[in-house]
């Protein structure tokens, strides 16, 4: 069955450093991958989309890579700030809504 | 811009009672979804709807009923609540079925079944 793995342990980093979060998937060939941010007590919010024919996507301090051979996406936040502290969810997807699967998320804590 | 709203935000109910969670979106998005989020499981799709009067099961539909008589509303009903249905429920919407459409989530409904 399809499986998405995100590091269940919280990632603690120092302010100013680069945070790198991992999303691995198995038994699945997504056409795209999205990353969402979720703050405590709130719904997830869309951050970035990367398609299968793209290796890398950037948006301000955010960078996403997508390696379809390794079946992995990496999500980077450069010059991290305490305000970046949240849970980040990955969503590898393809056309059709019957398989809208999300990873369980990785909690990021950026310390001053 | 109200977006997508859920009600109630917090609910405590007893086992066996019927509970309805409401979801309303103001964007006229075609697609709407219900997820539940539990520790260790992440978001799991309960039901989704491609348009008014069109609904389909997701990953965990048992014990839930949905309807969509109007594009903007997508209520989720627990016909006979069980403790295993204690969870946070998120309603979401999306504009099209093109690859990679952004999914917009509501703020969540916290349901406790005692």
């Amino acid at each position: 069955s399809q499986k998405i793995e995100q590091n269940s342990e919280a990632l603690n980093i120092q302010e100013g450093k680069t945070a790198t979060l991992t999303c691995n998937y198995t038994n699945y060939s997504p056409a795209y991958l999205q990353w969402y941010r979720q703050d405590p007590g709130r719904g997830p919010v869309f951050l970035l989309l990367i398609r299968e024919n793209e290796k890398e996507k950037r948006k301000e301090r955010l960078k996403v890579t997508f390696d379809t051979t390794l079946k992995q996406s990496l999500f980077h936040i450069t010059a991290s700030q305490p305000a970046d502290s949240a849970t980040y969810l990955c969503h590898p997807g393809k056309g059709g809504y019957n398989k809208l699967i999300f990873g369980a998320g990785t909690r990021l804590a950026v310390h001053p | 811009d109200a977006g997508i709203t859920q009600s109630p935000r917090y609910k405590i109910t007893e086992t066996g009672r019927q509970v309805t969670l409401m979801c309303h979106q103001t964007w006229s998005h075609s697609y709407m979804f219900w997820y539940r989020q539990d520790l260790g499981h992440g978001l799991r799709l309960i039901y989704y709807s491609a348009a008014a009067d069109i609904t389909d099961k997701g990953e965990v539909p048992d014990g839930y009923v949905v309807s969509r008589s109007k594009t903007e509303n997508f209520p989720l009903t627990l016909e006979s609540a069980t403790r295993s249905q204690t969870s946070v429920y998120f309603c979401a919407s999306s504009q099209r079925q093109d690859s990679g459409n952004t999914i917009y989530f509501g703020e969540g409904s916290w349901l406790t079944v005692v």
Side-chain angles (χ1 to χ4, degrees):
Chain A
S1 61
Q2 298 160 356
K3 191 174 180 182
I4 305 173
E5 290 183 338
Q6 293 187 256
N7 196 334
S8 58
E9 293 182 8
L11 178 63
N12 292 282
I13 65 168
Q14 210 64 29
E15 183 176 8
K17 300 292 185 182
T18 296
T20 299
L21 286 68
T22 303
C23 176
N24 296 298
Y25 56 90
T26 56
N27 298 322
Y28 198 38
S29 297
Y32 63 86
L33 196 141
Q34 295 177 333
W35 284 86
Y36 288 76
R37 169 182 172 141
Q38 186 174 21
D39 291 291
R42 308 293 297 273
V45 175
F46 171 77
L47 293 175
L48 275 173
L49 161 72
I50 186 166
R51 300 189 187 278
E52 61 181 334
N53 61 346
E54 300 173 316
K55 294 294 184 185
E56 181 180 299
K57 205 76 167 284
R58 292 175 184 262
K59 179 182 176 183
E60 298 172 352
R61 294 184 297 111
L62 308 180
K63 185 179 85 171
V64 174
T65 62
F66 191 11
D67 191 324
T68 55
T69 301
L70 291 178
K71 294 186 180 294
Q72 180 182 80
S73 175
L74 298 178
F75 178 79
H76 306 273
I77 305 176
T78 59
S80 60
Q81 304 166 0
D84 295 325
S85 299
T87 296
Y88 292 86
L89 311 175
C90 73
H91 162 52
K94 60 200 315 183
Y97 281 91
N98 58 339
K99 297 291 184 183
L100 270 181
I101 52 177
F102 282 81
T106 297
R107 187 165 61 87
L108 172 66
V110 181
H111 302 283
Chain B
D1 186 357
I4 185 164
T5 55
Q6 296 183 228
S7 63
R9 293 292 313 282
Y10 304 94
K11 175 79 176 177
I12 300 174
T13 191
E14 294 177 339
T15 301
R17 290 195 178 267
Q18 183 180 82
V19 176
T20 296
L21 306 180
M22 305 300 292
C23 178
H24 176 80
Q25 53 111 349
T26 59
W27 294 307
S28 299
H29 283 171
S30 296
Y31 288 82
M32 296 189 74
F33 316 90
W34 274 106
Y35 289 90
R36 61 178 289 174
Q37 188 174 39
D38 305 287
L39 200 62
H41 288 281
L43 288 165
R44 291 185 291 175
L45 184 64
I46 304 171
Y47 269 95
Y48 68 99
S49 169
D53 298 321
I54 301 175
T55 62
D56 207 347
K57 296 177 180 179
E59 181 186 356
V60 289
D62 293 343
Y64 302 96
V65 174
V66 293
S67 62
R68 194 161 177 213
S69 56
K70 294 184 178 180
T71 299
E72 61 267 28
N73 297 323
F74 190 39
L76 176 74
T77 297
L78 288 67
E79 293 187 299
S80 179
T82 64
R83 288 181 181 169
S84 65
Q85 293 177 309
T86 292
S87 186
V88 183
Y89 292 85
F90 287 100
C91 180
S93 71
S94 183
Q95 186 172 15
R96 302 183 303 269
Q97 198 177 351
D98 295 339
S99 178
N101 282 303
T102 298
I103 303 166
Y104 297 90
F105 288 85
E107 292 299 307
S109 293
W110 271 252
L111 177 67
T112 301
V113 183
V114 297

